[in-house]
Amino acid sequence: MFRSARVWTVAVVVLAVAGCAGPTDQGKSVSNRRTVKATGSFTLDGLRTVDPCALYTDELISSIGKKPSDLPDRNGYSECRHDVSEFRLAIKLGDDLIGAPKQTSKTLAGLGVYETRTSTSCLQTAIVTRDPELGIIAQAGADSADPCPAATKVLESVVKQIAEGKAKYPETKGSLVGLDPCAAMEDKDITQVLGDGAKKQPSDIRYCRFVTKSAYIAVQYSMGRDPATTTKSNNPTKFALPDKKDAYVYKPEVAPNKCQVEWAHRALEANFTENVSVAFEPVDPTPGIDPCTFAKGAAGYVSAKLAKA
């Protein structure tokens, strides 16, 4: 689609209107990605509802070492770290797996499990889906002890708790926590931006790319500081979304042909926010065509759908 300057110009007109339009139709979106069917709470939708910090129970901590005075350290929706005695622990839910073995010798709750270790760290990984390859990771690091027994205890506890439906985030209207980024746009809206044939490619349970041979859109849901603050170093321009929220638009210095749109979706405690990021990047940039026009159009579709979620 984007190889033709004429088609680009037509798309610019369509997206300029779409960026200012009201909410789009909420018809059912059809995903063309394939997954290995997971059972019970181990579906990707199920994993999105699990609070990783709540998985560090007193029972788990006491099986590894002395209970620390510090609280677990949250790193977004699906990752949480905690130091227990000499061990540095981390839990990651629905994470992208690189080089997962085709077969595993161990299973937990029907999930294949494999081990990866270095001299100071150990990862125990349960495979949730094969296409895409996503999983649950329990990581332990230690300087003077074998970290693998600790990582094994963490994974076993995590899988057991998730199977029992424990450690859930509270249901909160308007929250992004349970939403699938691969469902962030309607198929017809994806076609307006990218043309026909876009494929949905999740990199983890909070990030999804909509990809054609000519360009891609990426949508990410995250938890952190307000983009009004975090994007300042990129000298963004302000953009009013269809739901009246302010978004911040910029081209990353390391990727000048890419355009990023970020905004705060919902306020949380302690000056944290639930955030949305929408990016657009063409494979072969066309002179005179601004990728930010397409990024803003896609962001408009995403925000309009979220307004009805």
Side-chain angles (χ1 to χ4, degrees), residues 34 53-54 59 82 113 143 155 164 186 189 197 265 280 305:
R34 295 187 300 113
C53 290
E59 181 182 2
H82 205 14
V113 174
D143 296 324
L155 184 64
E164 294 174 348
E186 303 295 340
D189 298 333
H265 172 74
F280 173 88
K305 185 168 183 179

Side-chain angles (χ1 to χ4, degrees), residues 28-33 35 44-45 48 132 134 178-187 190 198-211 217-221 302 305:
K28 184 177 180 181
S29 175
V30 179
S31 172
N32 52 16
R33 59 190 170 96
T35 62
L44 302 188
D45 285 338
R48 272 186 280 270
L134 304 178
L179 300 185
D180 179 2
C182 284
M185 297 175 65
E186 303 295 340
D187 288 344
I190 298 168
K199 297 184 182 300
K200 299 177 184 180
Q201 299 176 347
S203 292
D204 59 44
I205 57 176
R206 310 290 178 184
Y207 179 93
C208 187
R209 286 171 31 124
F210 305 81
V211 181
I217 301 165
V219 177
Q220 183 175 27
Y221 299 148
V302 172
K305 185 168 183 179

Side-chain angles (χ1 to χ4, degrees), residues 1-9 11 193-194 212-215 280 282-287 289 294:
M1 175 181 178
F2 298 107
R3 298 179 190 279
S4 166
R6 179 177 176 277
V7 175
W8 268 78
T9 305
V193 184
L194 293 175
T212 67
K213 292 181 179 179
S214 301
F280 173 88
V283 174
D284 296 319
T286 301
I289 301 300
F294 295 83

Side-chain angles (χ1 to χ4, degrees), residues 135-216:
I136 300 168
I137 299 175
Q139 182 175 355
D143 296 324
S144 59
D146 182 356
C148 280
T152 298
K153 289 178 180 178
V154 173
L155 184 64
E156 289 175 348
S157 176
V158 165
V159 168
K160 183 176 185 292
Q161 289 182 71
I162 293 175
E164 294 174 348
K166 296 180 179 178
K168 296 285 190 178
Y169 279 110
E171 292 187 15
T172 305
K173 183 176 176 56
S175 175
L176 298 173
V177 71
L179 300 185
D180 179 2
C182 284
M185 297 175 65
E186 303 295 340
D187 288 344
K188 62 183 180 61
D189 298 333
I190 298 168
T191 299
Q192 289 280 17
V193 184
L194 293 175
D196 295 326
K199 297 184 182 300
K200 299 177 184 180
Q201 299 176 347
S203 292
D204 59 44
I205 57 176
R206 310 290 178 184
Y207 179 93
C208 187
R209 286 171 31 124
F210 305 81
V211 181
T212 67
K213 292 181 179 179
S214 301
Y216 76 86

Side-chain angles (χ1 to χ4, degrees), residues 22-292:
T24 56
D25 177 69
Q26 296 287 302
K28 184 177 180 181
S29 175
V30 179
S31 172
N32 52 16
R33 59 190 170 96
R34 295 187 300 113
T35 62
V36 177
K37 186 177 180 181
T39 59
S41 299
F42 298 105
T43 63
L44 302 188
D45 285 338
L47 288 179
R48 272 186 280 270
T49 67
V50 178
D51 179 353
C53 290
L55 293 166
Y56 290 108
T57 62
D58 289 344
E59 181 182 2
L60 171 59
I61 297 303
S62 63
S63 72
I64 294 173
K66 183 180 178 181
K67 185 175 181 178
S69 57
D70 293 335
L71 295 173
D73 182 15
R74 185 183 302 281
N75 185 15
Y77 293 114
S78 300
E79 180 178 352
C80 192
R81 299 178 181 275
H82 205 14
D83 291 345
V84 178
S85 297
E86 71 266 49
F87 297 103
R88 302 177 295 276
L89 307 178
I91 296 169
K92 301 178 184 180
L93 305 176
D95 206 42
D96 186 21
L97 305 182
I98 300 174
K102 297 303 179 184
Q103 294 183 341
T104 63
S105 58
K106 181 180 177 181
T107 62
L108 283 173
L111 306 176
V113 174
Y114 67 97
E115 178 184 295
T116 309
R117 67 159 69 211
T118 67
S119 59
T120 59
S121 70
C122 182
L123 279 71
Q124 297 287 340
T125 302
I127 303 169
V128 175
T129 70
R130 283 290 189 178
D131 187 7
E133 288 191 333
L134 304 178
I136 300 168
I137 299 175
Q139 182 175 355
D143 296 324
S144 59
D146 182 356
C148 280
T152 298
K153 289 178 180 178
V154 173
L155 184 64
E156 289 175 348
S157 176
V158 165
V159 168
K160 183 176 185 292
Q161 289 182 71
I162 293 175
E164 294 174 348
K166 296 180 179 178
K168 296 285 190 178
Y169 279 110
E171 292 187 15
T172 305
K173 183 176 176 56
S175 175
L176 298 173
V177 71
L179 300 185
D180 179 2
C182 284
M185 297 175 65
E186 303 295 340
D187 288 344
K188 62 183 180 61
D189 298 333
I190 298 168
T191 299
Q192 289 280 17
V193 184
L194 293 175
D196 295 326
K199 297 184 182 300
K200 299 177 184 180
Q201 299 176 347
S203 292
D204 59 44
I205 57 176
R206 310 290 178 184
Y207 179 93
C208 187
R209 286 171 31 124
F210 305 81
V211 181
T212 67
K213 292 181 179 179
S214 301
Y216 76 86
I217 301 165
V219 177
Q220 183 175 27
Y221 299 148
S222 63
M223 183 189 300
R225 300 297 182 182
D226 192 327
T229 300
T230 60
T231 63
K232 280 185 177 179
S233 63
N234 294 294
N235 298 315
T237 58
K238 192 179 288 188
F239 170 60
L241 295 162
D243 62 0
K244 309 304 182 184
K245 289 185 174 70
D246 285 334
Y248 300 87
V249 184
Y250 63 95
K251 295 178 182 178
E253 186 175 346
V254 296
N257 296 317
K258 176 181 178 181
C259 187
Q260 194 103 358
V261 183
E262 298 183 25
W263 68 94
H265 172 74
R266 192 172 73 94
L268 300 172
E269 295 179 352
N271 295 320
F272 280 86
T273 51
E274 287 189 299
N275 301 323
V276 183
S277 171
V278 177
F280 173 88
E281 185 171 14
V283 174
D284 296 319
T286 301
I289 301 300
D290 185 0
C292 287

